Amino acid sequence: MSSVPVTITPAPPAAAEPAALLAEAAGAAKCAPCGCAHEASAALAALPPGAPPAVREAARRLAASLTGQRYPCLGCAVCWPAEALAALQEAGLVPEGAACPAGPAVPRPGWPPLPGDYTVLRYTAPVAVCTLGETGLAAAVAAEAGPAVAITGTLTTENLGIDRLVANTIANPHLRFVIVSGEEVAQRIGHHPGGSLLALAAHGTDANGRIVAAPGRRPRLRNLTPAQIAHFRAHVEVIDLIGGRDPAAILAAAEECAARDPRPAPPPPGGPAVPVQRAAPARRTIADPAGYLVVHADAARRLLVIEHYRNDGLLTTVTEAASATDGYTSVLAAGLVSRLDHAAYLGRELARAEHALATGSRYRQDAAPG
C-alpha cells in the first residue's frame, strides 16, 4: 500500500493546542466509549463556519472515532476532550456552557461531598494533606498519619481539581489547613495545580472565576461561587511544601498546624456536609425478646464464656470463644441477639472480659442501663 505525501499547514497558535488534544482523544481507545469524548463531540458539532480548519478536521476525526458510550467518565488525570473544549471556549469558538465534560459533579450526602482520589482518616482533624500528582506519597502519609490529619489526596488539575478540593475542604468546618506537597504537576498541556492553589489562597479569582496570577494554563473555577471561594480564603490556610516528598516532614508540618488550630470555622455557605448531633442520655434498656446473655472470663482456660438464657431464666446455649470478635460474631450468627442495643452491650462486655484475661485483672459483668 503506497503512501501519499500530505502537505500539512501549521495551525495558528489559537488552534494548535485544541487540535492536538482532539487528535490525542481520537487516537485513544479509552476515549471512544467515554462520555467525556461524546459530550465534547456534540459541542464541537456547533463550531462556527470560521473555525480554524485544523480544529474542524480534528473534531471530525474525533466524531468518527467514537463508539457506543459505555461509561460517563474514567476520571483521567488529563482529559483530552475536556481540555480541548475548555481551550476552544476560552478562544470564543465554543460558547461557555455548551458542554463541559469537566462540569460539576453532583454532591453526595456526607463528607467529602465530591468524589476524588483521596483517603479519609478522621472528620474532626484540622489538616488536609495534598500531594499533587503523587498517589504513592498520599498513601504513605495516610499510613503514618496521627490525629492531626483528616484527609490525604492528590491534585492534578488547576481547574476541576481545585474546584473539588475547595468544595470538599470547606464542607468540613474542622479543616483549617491544607498542606500542598509532592512534585508540581507540569504536564505538557500546562497544568500547575500546586502553584495555582497557592495563587488562589493569596489572590483569589477575578470576575470570570480565573485565579489571579496562577501559573496554570486554564485556572478557571467554574463550579464554585464567590462566597465559597471567599470562605476558603478566609478560614483555610494553605501551607506551601511543594517539592517535599518526605512523609515524616509532611506529618511534622501537620502537627505544627494542629498545635495552632483555631478550632472549627463558621458554617460554610449552604451549611456543613455532616451535621453533628449530641448523643441522647441512655434510657432504660428494653428486654431482648431473644433472651439475655451472661459473660464470664475463664482465666484458667483463657476463654470467654457466653451463656444464653431465655427471659424465663432457662439456659439454652453456652459459647466459648478465644477472643471478643469470635464471641460476638458467633452469638450474632446463632440469632441469640435481636436488638442493636443488646448487640452493642454484648460487644462492650466481651471487650472488657478480653482485657481482663490479657491483664490478669478481675472481670465482673456490668448491668445494662435500667
Side-chain angles (χ1 to χ4, degrees):
M1 182 176 180
S2 61
S3 60
V4 179
V6 177
T7 301
I8 299 176
T9 303
E17 184 193 13
L21 291 167
L22 291 173
E24 294 273 16
K30 67 177 182 178
C31 291
C34 181
C36 296
H38 281 253
E39 290 186 36
S41 182
L44 294 169
L47 278 170
V55 173
R56 298 185 69 83
E57 174 60 16
R60 184 193 67 77
R61 291 183 179 180
L62 175 64
S65 72
L66 298 180
T67 61
Q69 183 177 333
R70 296 208 314 267
Y71 36 78
C73 177
L74 286 176
C76 302
V78 178
C79 178
W80 294 310
E83 292 293 337
L85 198 62
L88 292 170
Q89 287 173 341
E90 292 202 355
L93 296 173
V94 175
E96 290 284 345
C100 183
V106 177
R108 307 166 297 186
W111 179 78
L114 297 178
D117 182 13
Y118 49 69
T119 300
V120 175
L121 301 174
R122 52 188 60 80
Y123 178 67
T124 56
V127 181
V129 175
C130 167
T131 61
L132 296 175
E134 301 200 39
T135 302
L137 179 58
V141 172
E144 300 295 331
V149 180
I151 185 172
T152 70
T154 61
L155 175 67
T156 55
T157 60
E158 76 278 13
N159 33 55
L160 179 61
I162 292 180
D163 265 335
R164 295 191 179 192
L165 182 147
V166 170
N168 284 339
T169 298
I170 65 174
N172 181 350
H174 297 278
L175 279 177
R176 306 304 302 273
F177 305 90
V178 174
I179 295 176
V180 190
S181 59
E183 294 295 336
E184 177 63 292
V185 179
Q187 296 158 332
R188 64 173 182 80
I189 58 175
H191 284 309
H192 291 270
S196 298
L197 181 59
L198 295 177
L200 174 67
H203 307 294
T205 57
D206 63 18
N208 296 317
R210 188 179 185 92
I211 301 173
V212 177
R217 192 67 168 273
R218 278 182 289 278
R220 289 187 67 184
L221 306 182
R222 304 172 185 271
N223 307 312
L224 294 173
T225 66
Q228 289 174 309
I229 293 171
H231 187 91
F232 177 81
R233 296 184 65 219
H235 300 293
V236 179
E237 182 178 346
V238 179
I239 308 297
D240 181 6
L241 289 186
I242 294 177
R245 307 182 69 248
D246 179 8
I250 295 169
L251 291 173
E255 294 294 338
E256 292 173 3
C257 291
R260 53 188 183 88
D261 177 14
R263 311 312 299 165
V274 180
V276 178
Q277 302 176 355
R278 180 75 65 177
R283 295 178 295 178
R284 181 182 179 89
T285 299
I286 299 173
D288 190 337
Y292 62 90
L293 300 163
V294 176
V295 177
H296 303 284
D298 189 332
R301 296 188 297 156
R302 301 195 63 78
L303 289 174
L304 302 174
V305 180
I306 309 162
E307 299 175 351
H308 175 263
Y309 293 84
R310 292 192 332 197
N311 285 322
D312 62 4
L314 179 69
L315 175 66
T316 66
T317 306
V318 176
T319 303
E320 296 181 341
S323 70
T325 302
D326 293 347
Y328 65 69
T329 54
S330 296
V331 167
L332 293 177
L336 303 180
V337 173
S338 67
R339 291 182 55 86
L340 293 178
D341 55 352
H342 194 196
Y345 167 76
L346 172 64
R348 184 194 72 173
E349 288 305 306
L350 287 174
R352 292 181 61 242
E354 185 175 51
H355 177 74
L357 288 180
T359 60
S361 57
R362 182 185 176 190
Y363 167 73
R364 182 175 180 181
Q365 185 171 354
D366 280 349

